[in-house]
Amino acid sequence: MRKILVVGAGQAGLQLALGLQARGHDVTVMSERTADEIRGGPVMSTQCLFATALGHEAALGLDFWADQAPRAEGLGVSVAGPDGGRPIDWLGRLRGAAQSVDQRVKTAGWMETFAERGGTLVIHGAAASDLEWFSRAYDLVLVAAGRGEIGAMFRRDAARSPYAAPQRELAVAYVHGLGPRPEHPDVRAVRCNLVPDVGALFVIPALTTSGPCDILFWEARPGGPADVFRGVRDPAERLRLILDLMRTYVPWEYDRAGAVELTDAGGTLVGRLTPTVREPVAELPAGGLALGVADAVVANDPLTGQGANMAAKCAAVYLEAITGHGDRPFDRAWMESAFDRFWALAGPATKWTNTMLGPLPEHVLGLFGAAGTLQPVADRFANGFDDPADFEHWFYDPERASAFLAATGAAG
């Protein structure tokens, strides 16, 4: 039995802690807040897990809300035209349903489960100086918290981090009362609405503290016409601005939002994030080591919805790496090897996200257009959210894209 510390109580940290606990390890989790404080606090993210990540939760018996959260059976893409219409509009079918559970619900529930199963839960914010002592008291220190002094211990990997500043301004509202899309009234789907030179609006069916809901999520280009949220603190005003932008740029989504209201006073979030990959191992002043977990070391813009998915996948990779290591010491070589296994998944997700943040090449725009008439193209794009590595085979290279379209059209 190994003695392991997990700093941070989010998707990755708690999933990993619960998995290690189930395999007989002595696990301590450090969290800045209690379960009740998290459950009653503001929303923290726009998570939507696809089939692979959901499978990792299910394998550990942690899919507590699978029968309560709405099941998204598809992923739709609409591109706004200058006249308020949709020159591109299609719905891709997912091979396995996606689900979104408010992190307040999941984190609080998992924290309580961890404690009920005998885990040690410490409510205290960890500083870098604390980790020096922890590295001597535990066989392994895992850092799943990426903000502040703790996050700064992991050095930026410049070769894998092309951006030095946030690429989008983010605004989120959890709402009740959103109507269905009239063209697909019986289909729950994640909706991606792209507005050239403005940003994007995502609509995500979810489960929150007060039951099923929808998440309205704007990704605004900095300095553009949708960059209107900085300094706005009032939740009602944030929702009003989100709806105003919907009316102006994506009226087909606004048309079903006439009865929406915030799920609760904490149901909004605004912020910005600089996409950054960090070196996976932090060396402490006296020589101790800590291994970074998920977005503590790979933080992508949420444009492609990979944050929570990569967190679940990282937890699964590290769980197997720790379990398979036996009684040997967790040295730097092992830590780097464990991260390399994770990067095999996170690297393709990072490449795809960074591609989508930049100007889209002509052949990619052609793929978006073709998906409106070729269902296999729409389906393959939708399922890329679950497996971003698949984009390497048909998405980035114009010749491969052309060959894929030709083969798909011929088959159709």
Side-chain angles (χ1 to χ4, degrees):
M1 179 174 67
R2 313 305 295 270
K3 191 175 181 183
I4 298 172
L5 173 68
V6 179
V7 180
Q11 172 78 41
L14 283 170
Q15 181 184 318
L16 180 53
L18 284 157
L20 290 167
Q21 183 185 56
R23 298 192 183 186
H25 297 290
D26 179 0
V27 186
T28 297
V29 170
M30 292 190 69
S31 170
E32 292 183 338
R33 296 185 290 164
T34 67
D36 285 342
E37 288 171 338
I38 290 170
R39 189 180 283 114
V43 296
M44 300 179 283
S45 63
T46 58
Q47 69 295 310
C48 182
L49 295 188
F50 294 88
T52 300
L54 291 173
H56 292 313
E57 291 187 350
L60 295 173
L62 299 177
D63 53 341
F64 301 157
W65 303 275
D67 295 333
Q68 302 172 45
R71 292 169 56 84
E73 305 288 348
L75 187 139
V77 172
S78 303
V79 178
D83 59 353
R86 287 173 278 176
I88 295 175
D89 186 60
W90 46 261
L91 178 65
R93 298 166 299 200
L94 293 169
R95 287 188 291 269
Q99 290 186 302
S100 174
V101 177
D102 186 339
Q103 287 290 304
R104 296 178 297 180
V105 173
K106 182 182 289 187
T107 297
W110 281 0
M111 283 177 68
E112 290 165 347
T113 298
F114 176 75
E116 289 166 1
R117 293 177 179 177
T120 302
L121 187 60
V122 177
I123 307 302
H124 181 68
S129 56
D130 297 326
L131 295 191
E132 189 68 70
W133 182 85
F134 291 139
S135 69
R136 296 191 295 269
Y138 290 85
D139 295 313
L140 176 63
V141 174
L142 298 159
V143 177
R147 294 180 297 177
E149 180 185 348
I150 291 289
M153 297 189 312
F154 298 92
R155 293 181 297 182
R156 179 174 179 269
D157 185 338
R160 291 171 167 171
S161 304
Y163 299 114
Q167 299 301 295
R168 297 290 188 272
E169 300 292 336
L170 314 174
V172 174
Y174 282 53
V175 299
H176 292 309
L178 186 71
R181 276 277 196 110
E183 65 269 36
H184 304 112
D186 300 321
V187 178
R188 282 277 193 175
V190 176
R191 298 287 180 172
C192 170
N193 300 275
L194 303 176
V195 186
D197 301 320
V198 175
L201 171 75
F202 293 84
V203 183
I204 306 167
L207 177 73
T208 188
T209 54
S210 52
C213 69
D214 288 278
I215 301 172
L216 306 177
F217 172 35
W218 269 104
E219 282 235 348
R221 291 187 177 276
D227 182 4
V228 296
F229 295 96
R230 275 181 282 183
V232 179
R233 298 187 178 277
D234 179 62
E237 179 65 8
R238 289 173 174 176
L239 177 60
R240 186 191 69 78
L241 290 171
I242 286 173
L243 294 173
D244 283 350
L245 291 172
M246 290 170 64
R247 180 175 57 237
T248 300
Y249 296 107
V250 288
W252 57 89
E253 297 288 15
Y254 180 78
D255 288 345
R256 60 187 182 121
V260 302
E261 59 182 9
L262 289 175
T263 57
D264 61 280
T268 66
L269 172 70
V270 299
R272 55 210 313 243
L273 180 152
T274 301
T276 306
V277 177
R278 299 185 180 277
E279 295 180 5
V281 181
E283 184 166 343
L284 304 170
L289 301 176
L291 173 61
V293 181
D295 60 5
V297 286
V298 182
N300 284 319
D301 187 280
L303 179 67
T304 58
Q306 293 302 297
N309 288 273
M310 286 301 117
K313 293 174 182 180
C314 183
V317 168
Y318 281 12
L319 176 60
E320 296 307 319
I322 293 167
T323 301
H325 199 55
D327 294 329
R328 289 168 289 172
F330 295 109
D331 57 14
R332 176 181 287 274
W334 176 86
M335 291 182 177
E336 291 176 346
S337 174
F339 176 78
D340 287 344
R341 293 188 223 176
F342 169 51
W343 182 250
L345 302 173
T350 300
K351 178 177 180 177
W352 178 45
T353 303
N354 289 342
T355 298
M356 294 300 293
L357 284 170
L360 296 180
E362 190 67 30
H363 78 274
V364 170
L365 297 176
L367 288 168
F368 276 109
T373 55
L374 295 171
Q375 188 63 45
V377 179
D379 294 347
R380 192 166 187 181
F381 184 87
N383 286 286
F385 281 75
D386 185 38
D387 179 19
D390 183 57
F391 287 114
E392 196 67 47
H393 304 298
W394 65 280
F395 189 76
Y396 301 114
D397 180 75
E399 292 185 2
R400 289 188 176 185
S402 179
F404 168 58
L405 290 181
T408 304

